[in-house]
Amino acid sequence: NCLERAICSLMEDIFMTNFEIIKNALAPKVKGKEITENSSFKDLGLDSLDLLEIVLDVEGDLGVHFEDDQLIEFKTIKDVLVAVEGMKK
């Protein structure tokens, strides 16, 4: 169905835009490391304070707010992307 394909394409575009926003927020902290949606914050060398700082930036850029208990659950960039997607529905 054409409408379904269009909606899927739009959702993929939004997902990738959100990924780019997160990636740009991470870039200064993880110089030289490859950042993918499956990158874990631990593998990128980020501690909980780094993650909090990045999440605060991302909240403003994406217009969302994460609860403190959600932050504990974020292990990968994809975890954040999925949470953002859930908030935007």
Side-chain angles (χ1 to χ4, degrees):
N1 177 322
C2 184
L3 180 58
E4 288 175 358
R5 285 194 309 271
I7 291 171
C8 285
S9 177
L10 178 61
M11 290 179 73
E12 285 177 21
D13 289 347
I14 292 169
F15 189 86
M16 290 310 296
T17 299
N18 292 345
F19 171 68
E20 288 301 319
I21 289 170
I22 294 169
K23 186 176 174 179
N24 289 338
L26 286 168
K29 297 230 179 243
V30 297
K31 295 178 180 107
K33 293 185 181 176
E34 181 182 5
I35 301 170
T36 69
E37 65 184 60
N38 293 315
S39 297
S40 77
F41 296 111
K42 182 179 179 180
D43 290 344
L44 292 172
L46 301 173
D47 61 23
S48 58
L49 192 56
D50 292 325
L51 178 58
L52 178 61
E53 193 176 312
I54 289 162
V55 165
L56 291 174
D57 289 343
V58 168
E59 283 180 329
D61 291 340
L62 296 177
V64 297
H65 175 73
F66 299 109
E67 298 298 327
D68 292 342
D69 59 333
Q70 283 180 290
L71 299 179
I72 296 168
E73 296 177 16
F74 294 154
K75 305 294 184 222
T76 67
I77 294 173
K78 190 169 188 172
D79 293 339
V80 178
L81 290 167
V82 168
V84 168
E85 191 173 302
M87 291 177 184
K88 299 258 180 170
K89 287 185 178 180

